Amino acid sequence: MSIMRPWEMHDTVVIGAGVIGASIGYHLAARGAAVTVVDAGLPASGATRHSFAWISSTGGADGPAFGLRDLSVQDWRRLGEEIPGLGLVWSGALTWGEEFGRAGAIEPPIDVEPRLADLPSSARFSPDEGWIDPVRASERLIEAARHRGAQIRLGAPVLRLIRGEVAGVIGVDLGNVVLGATNVIVAAGTGSAALCSSVGVSLPLPAAPAVMVRLWAEPGLIGHIVANDEFEARQSPDGTILMPRGYAGEDSTESLLATGETARRLLIDSFEGADDVRLLSAEVGWRPMTSDGEPAVGATRIPGLHVAVAHPGVCLAATIGRLVADELTTPVAAPELARFRPTRFDGRLRAPQASTV
Ligand SMILES: Cc1cc2nc3c(=O)[nH]c(=O)nc-3n(C[C@H](O)[C@H](O)[C@H](O)COP(=O)(O)OP(=O)(O)OC[C@H]3O[C@@H](n4cnc5c(N)ncnc54)[C@H](O)[C@@H]3O)c2cc1C
């Protein structure tokens, strides 16, 4: 039985106002494109709000998004100049250990983190790296997109994509209304797989949870991003410390608080005079990570349907926003995205019949 609902005509619809959808919406609006950003909740209500938000250009050739990551610092710096109040902090990052594969004596051998209990004999300081407040950045990107003419619809879950009988994807179904669209960009984080499968496009996103522990200490305990095989940590000017932890099956408030307490003790042991560190919260964040760990960005095999899902998504958001907007507003495919096309997952789902609205 077909149900007739009102149609509104839009041009490009971006699903998701996390940091990636917000960046795409901003970059499209800044190029004068007609764009509508739709989110089930508020900006940054998905993985983005739990992010450590490290902007790092040096993931290594075997790390995810090689070739895109090295563009991230310059793209975030550009955005910082275009949009006041984005909340970028170019603190620099001190890293050591096997996981970071960046050993090499600190050059020059200065005491960059004076309160570290044990300064490693071999480490690397990367002065050009930094972090953002990911919620504030997403909100500012959405505001800036709106200022440049984008339509923003929050609290509007997309139930499914609409596929025409002849053409490809022709709109998105909000339940009470259908937004007809020439292009639909799915940037819905972990919600992207279900939306794509509603038109037969496979986007494998196995569960990839992580725990974000928030602590507080007197400001000035940690000066930079500090990362090694045991922990990653950074401190905001208001004293808040973020420490992401691996997920170990935490399924209750008690188990999350236990993880938070372990992180607190680790921090106290790792820094001098850190006895006042308090646990604020510990929450699970669900990272949108494809089955091969690489971003999925660009056109799908269905005309009109594009995808933008990536990890590490905060780091890559400024670059992905720029490249996706370039591809939609010019006839040129971005060579930087060639390795990351979502079509590499094709053939894993059967296409459903065209849907009647
Ligand atoms: C603990 C932790 C630490 C991390 N550390 C880093 C880091 O240091 N650096 C880094 O770069 N990345 C990091 N990440 C990963 C990063 O947070 C994510 O890659 C990034 O936030 C993904 O952004 P997104 O916009 O794609 O998705 P999300 O932030 O999840 O946004 C998706 C949006 O889509 C909306 N949505 C979903 N389904 C629908 C629907 N059907 N209809 C309408 N709206 C919908 C949601 O409401 C949400 O707002 C970390 C993640 C975690 C959890």
Side-chain angles (χ1 to χ4, degrees):
M1 186 179 72
S2 72
I3 304 163
M4 296 305 292
R5 267 163 294 164
W7 276 75
E8 282 179 20
M9 286 318 296
H10 293 248
D11 194 344
T12 295
V13 171
V14 179
I15 307 174
V19 69
I20 291 184
S23 174
I24 294 170
Y26 166 76
H27 282 90
L28 279 168
R31 281 160 178 68
V35 57
T36 303
V37 182
V38 182
D39 197 289
L42 295 170
S45 44
T48 300
R49 75 178 314 99
H50 301 292
S51 187
F52 191 59
W54 182 357
I55 301 169
S56 158
S57 53
T58 48
D62 54 350
F66 179 63
L68 276 188
R69 234 178 146 130
D70 49 346
L71 304 172
S72 60
V73 168
Q74 71 195 56
D75 270 310
W76 273 113
R77 283 192 189 277
R78 169 185 55 79
L79 274 186
E81 284 168 18
E82 290 175 19
I83 306 173
L86 211 50
L88 288 154
V89 181
W90 298 111
S91 61
L94 179 69
T95 55
W96 67 94
E98 278 180 30
E99 189 183 332
F100 293 92
R102 301 166 172 201
I106 296 172
E107 290 287 347
I110 46 170
D111 202 357
V112 288
E113 278 292 335
R115 305 223 1 218
L116 261 182
D118 295 306
L119 199 63
S121 57
S122 172
R124 174 166 173 155
F125 185 60
S126 307
D128 62 328
E129 299 189 359
W131 54 272
I132 57 169
D133 174 335
V135 176
R136 179 169 159 192
S138 304
E139 290 170 348
R140 291 293 297 123
L141 283 163
I142 288 292
E143 276 171 38
R146 196 197 304 263
H147 186 68
R148 285 161 179 76
Q151 291 189 46
I152 311 295
R153 293 173 92 124
L154 303 175
V158 175
L159 306 182
R160 64 187 174 124
L161 308 179
I162 307 286
R163 193 171 174 184
E165 302 204 4
V166 181
V169 165
I170 54 171
V172 307
D173 184 355
L174 298 185
N176 55 344
V177 62
V178 171
L179 308 186
T182 313
N183 289 299
V184 173
I185 304 172
V186 176
T190 54
S192 301
L195 288 167
C196 287
S197 76
S198 70
V199 289
V201 169
S202 173
L203 186 65
L205 294 176
V211 177
M212 178 51 76
V213 176
R214 285 187 162 76
L215 305 151
W216 184 91
E218 282 296 332
L221 178 68
I222 308 174
H224 311 90
I225 293 167
V226 178
N228 55 57
D229 292 338
E230 282 191 87
F231 70 87
E232 295 174 20
R234 63 170 171 84
Q235 188 174 29
S236 305
D238 69 358
T240 305
I241 295 170
L242 265 55
M243 271 183 93
R245 308 297 294 161
Y247 179 72
E250 291 89 340
D251 58 0
S252 64
T253 306
E254 291 72 27
S255 55
L256 278 167
L257 290 178
T259 298
E261 179 56 20
T262 305
R264 190 181 78 87
R265 290 187 178 284
L266 181 56
L267 202 80
I268 289 172
D269 290 345
S270 303
F271 288 86
E272 305 280 4
D275 298 340
D276 67 341
V277 174
R278 293 200 317 258
L279 176 61
L280 299 178
S281 64
E283 295 173 306
V284 179
W286 297 86
R287 297 170 295 179
M289 211 183 281
T290 61
S291 54
D292 62 12
E294 296 289 359
V297 183
T300 69
R301 65 185 168 78
I302 309 270
L305 177 62
H306 309 254
V307 162
V309 173
H311 181 83
V314 175
C315 176
L316 299 174
T319 303
I320 288 175
R322 172 175 62 84
L323 295 175
V324 169
D326 282 351
E327 288 201 327
L328 281 174
T329 54
T330 69
V332 182
E336 299 92 329
L337 294 174
R339 286 181 51 220
F340 307 114
R341 298 303 185 188
T343 43
R344 69 186 186 272
F345 299 119
D346 280 355
R348 300 193 189 175
L349 275 182
R350 268 189 317 119
Q353 299 299 307
S355 48
T356 317
V357 200

PDB file of all heavy atoms in Angstrom, residues 14 45 61 86 96 146 176 231 266 271 293 302 346:
ATOM      1  N   VAL A  14      22.273  16.491   3.284  1.00  0.00           N
ATOM      2  CA  VAL A  14      23.307  15.806   4.062  1.00  0.00           C
ATOM      3  C   VAL A  14      22.628  15.216   5.294  1.00  0.00           C
ATOM      4  O   VAL A  14      21.974  15.947   6.047  1.00  0.00           O
ATOM      5  CB  VAL A  14      24.419  16.787   4.513  1.00  0.00           C
ATOM      6  CG1 VAL A  14      25.474  16.060   5.351  1.00  0.00           C
ATOM      7  CG2 VAL A  14      25.062  17.471   3.308  1.00  0.00           C
ATOM      8  N   SER A  45      25.696  14.810  18.229  1.00  0.00           N
ATOM      9  CA  SER A  45      25.080  13.927  19.228  1.00  0.00           C
ATOM     10  C   SER A  45      25.508  12.467  19.070  1.00  0.00           C
ATOM     11  O   SER A  45      25.123  11.628  19.871  1.00  0.00           O
ATOM     12  CB  SER A  45      23.549  14.051  19.227  1.00  0.00           C
ATOM     13  OG  SER A  45      23.042  14.072  17.931  1.00  0.00           O
ATOM     14  N   ALA A  61      52.335   5.309   7.229  1.00  0.00           N
ATOM     15  CA  ALA A  61      51.861   4.723   5.971  1.00  0.00           C
ATOM     16  C   ALA A  61      50.966   3.512   6.200  1.00  0.00           C
ATOM     17  O   ALA A  61      50.166   3.156   5.334  1.00  0.00           O
ATOM     18  CB  ALA A  61      53.053   4.338   5.105  1.00  0.00           C
ATOM     19  N   LEU A  86      36.147  28.506  16.461  1.00  0.00           N
ATOM     20  CA  LEU A  86      36.032  27.072  16.198  1.00  0.00           C
ATOM     21  C   LEU A  86      36.588  26.229  17.341  1.00  0.00           C
ATOM     22  O   LEU A  86      36.232  25.058  17.495  1.00  0.00           O
ATOM     23  CB  LEU A  86      36.780  26.754  14.890  1.00  0.00           C
ATOM     24  CG  LEU A  86      36.290  25.615  14.032  1.00  0.00           C
ATOM     25  CD1 LEU A  86      34.789  25.712  13.758  1.00  0.00           C
ATOM     26  CD2 LEU A  86      37.040  25.590  12.713  1.00  0.00           C
ATOM     27  N   TRP A  96      55.279   8.442  22.404  1.00  0.00           N
ATOM     28  CA  TRP A  96      56.344   7.440  22.406  1.00  0.00           C
ATOM     29  C   TRP A  96      55.707   6.059  22.532  1.00  0.00           C
ATOM     30  O   TRP A  96      54.505   5.939  22.799  1.00  0.00           O
ATOM     31  CB  TRP A  96      57.340   7.711  23.543  1.00  0.00           C
ATOM     32  CG  TRP A  96      56.827   7.533  24.935  1.00  0.00           C
ATOM     33  CD1 TRP A  96      56.915   6.412  25.694  1.00  0.00           C
ATOM     34  CD2 TRP A  96      56.176   8.511  25.749  1.00  0.00           C
ATOM     35  NE1 TRP A  96      56.352   6.624  26.940  1.00  0.00           N
ATOM     36  CE2 TRP A  96      55.894   7.900  26.993  1.00  0.00           C
ATOM     37  CE3 TRP A  96      55.764   9.846  25.554  1.00  0.00           C
ATOM     38  CZ2 TRP A  96      55.243   8.569  28.039  1.00  0.00           C
ATOM     39  CZ3 TRP A  96      55.128  10.502  26.595  1.00  0.00           C
ATOM     40  CH2 TRP A  96      54.879   9.868  27.811  1.00  0.00           C
ATOM     41  N   ARG A 146      24.607  27.616   8.145  1.00  0.00           N
ATOM     42  CA  ARG A 146      23.310  28.308   8.127  1.00  0.00           C
ATOM     43  C   ARG A 146      23.490  29.762   7.678  1.00  0.00           C
ATOM     44  O   ARG A 146      22.721  30.281   6.879  1.00  0.00           O
ATOM     45  CB  ARG A 146      22.683  28.241   9.530  1.00  0.00           C
ATOM     46  CG  ARG A 146      21.195  28.583   9.555  1.00  0.00           C
ATOM     47  CD  ARG A 146      20.705  28.913  10.941  1.00  0.00           C
ATOM     48  NE  ARG A 146      20.928  27.916  11.937  1.00  0.00           N
ATOM     49  CZ  ARG A 146      20.038  27.011  12.322  1.00  0.00           C
ATOM     50  NH1 ARG A 146      18.855  26.968  11.753  1.00  0.00           N
ATOM     51  NH2 ARG A 146      20.323  26.166  13.298  1.00  0.00           N
ATOM     52  N   ASN A 176       6.859  12.242   8.307  1.00  0.00           N
ATOM     53  CA  ASN A 176       5.737  13.128   8.010  1.00  0.00           C
ATOM     54  C   ASN A 176       5.920  13.893   6.705  1.00  0.00           C
ATOM     55  O   ASN A 176       4.992  14.506   6.196  1.00  0.00           O
ATOM     56  CB  ASN A 176       5.529  14.129   9.161  1.00  0.00           C
ATOM     57  CG  ASN A 176       6.792  14.912   9.456  1.00  0.00           C
ATOM     58  OD1 ASN A 176       7.878  14.531   9.023  1.00  0.00           O
ATOM     59  ND2 ASN A 176       6.655  16.004  10.179  1.00  0.00           N
ATOM     60  N   PHE A 231      48.526   5.076  27.730  1.00  0.00           N
ATOM     61  CA  PHE A 231      47.394   6.018  27.784  1.00  0.00           C
ATOM     62  C   PHE A 231      47.555   7.145  26.774  1.00  0.00           C
ATOM     63  O   PHE A 231      48.661   7.412  26.281  1.00  0.00           O
ATOM     64  CB  PHE A 231      47.235   6.602  29.192  1.00  0.00           C
ATOM     65  CG  PHE A 231      48.335   7.553  29.595  1.00  0.00           C
ATOM     66  CD1 PHE A 231      48.266   8.910  29.288  1.00  0.00           C
ATOM     67  CD2 PHE A 231      49.446   7.098  30.284  1.00  0.00           C
ATOM     68  CE1 PHE A 231      49.277   9.784  29.650  1.00  0.00           C
ATOM     69  CE2 PHE A 231      50.465   7.969  30.655  1.00  0.00           C
ATOM     70  CZ  PHE A 231      50.382   9.318  30.328  1.00  0.00           C
ATOM     71  N   LEU A 266      45.935   5.630  36.882  1.00  0.00           N
ATOM     72  CA  LEU A 266      47.019   5.634  35.903  1.00  0.00           C
ATOM     73  C   LEU A 266      47.560   7.053  35.712  1.00  0.00           C
ATOM     74  O   LEU A 266      48.772   7.285  35.637  1.00  0.00           O
ATOM     75  CB  LEU A 266      46.498   5.061  34.579  1.00  0.00           C
ATOM     76  CG  LEU A 266      47.445   4.932  33.408  1.00  0.00           C
ATOM     77  CD1 LEU A 266      48.670   4.096  33.758  1.00  0.00           C
ATOM     78  CD2 LEU A 266      46.722   4.312  32.213  1.00  0.00           C
ATOM     79  N   PHE A 271      51.844  11.340  36.419  1.00  0.00           N
ATOM     80  CA  PHE A 271      52.204  12.763  36.545  1.00  0.00           C
ATOM     81  C   PHE A 271      52.507  13.098  38.003  1.00  0.00           C
ATOM     82  O   PHE A 271      51.860  12.569  38.921  1.00  0.00           O
ATOM     83  CB  PHE A 271      51.048  13.647  36.031  1.00  0.00           C
ATOM     84  CG  PHE A 271      50.910  13.615  34.537  1.00  0.00           C
ATOM     85  CD1 PHE A 271      50.163  12.614  33.921  1.00  0.00           C
ATOM     86  CD2 PHE A 271      51.538  14.559  33.741  1.00  0.00           C
ATOM     87  CE1 PHE A 271      50.054  12.558  32.540  1.00  0.00           C
ATOM     88  CE2 PHE A 271      51.431  14.509  32.360  1.00  0.00           C
ATOM     89  CZ  PHE A 271      50.691  13.516  31.759  1.00  0.00           C
ATOM     90  N   GLY A 293      38.675  -0.631   8.078  1.00  0.00           N
ATOM     91  CA  GLY A 293      39.289   0.432   8.869  1.00  0.00           C
ATOM     92  C   GLY A 293      39.537   1.726   8.113  1.00  0.00           C
ATOM     93  O   GLY A 293      40.001   2.708   8.691  1.00  0.00           O
ATOM     94  N   ILE A 302      24.695   3.763  -6.720  1.00  0.00           N
ATOM     95  CA  ILE A 302      23.336   4.267  -6.958  1.00  0.00           C
ATOM     96  C   ILE A 302      23.427   5.760  -7.269  1.00  0.00           C
ATOM     97  O   ILE A 302      23.911   6.533  -6.432  1.00  0.00           O
ATOM     98  CB  ILE A 302      22.450   4.086  -5.700  1.00  0.00           C
ATOM     99  CG1 ILE A 302      22.530   2.653  -5.190  1.00  0.00           C
ATOM    100  CG2 ILE A 302      21.030   4.563  -5.953  1.00  0.00           C
ATOM    101  CD1 ILE A 302      21.517   1.726  -5.751  1.00  0.00           C
ATOM    102  N   ASP A 346      30.783  -3.111  -2.688  1.00  0.00           N
ATOM    103  CA  ASP A 346      29.628  -3.535  -3.496  1.00  0.00           C
ATOM    104  C   ASP A 346      29.531  -5.047  -3.602  1.00  0.00           C
ATOM    105  O   ASP A 346      30.509  -5.761  -3.487  1.00  0.00           O
ATOM    106  CB  ASP A 346      29.717  -2.941  -4.904  1.00  0.00           C
ATOM    107  CG  ASP A 346      29.236  -1.507  -4.899  1.00  0.00           C
ATOM    108  OD1 ASP A 346      28.761  -1.042  -3.856  1.00  0.00           O
ATOM    109  OD2 ASP A 346      29.363  -0.850  -5.946  1.00  0.00           O
TER     110      ASP A 346
END
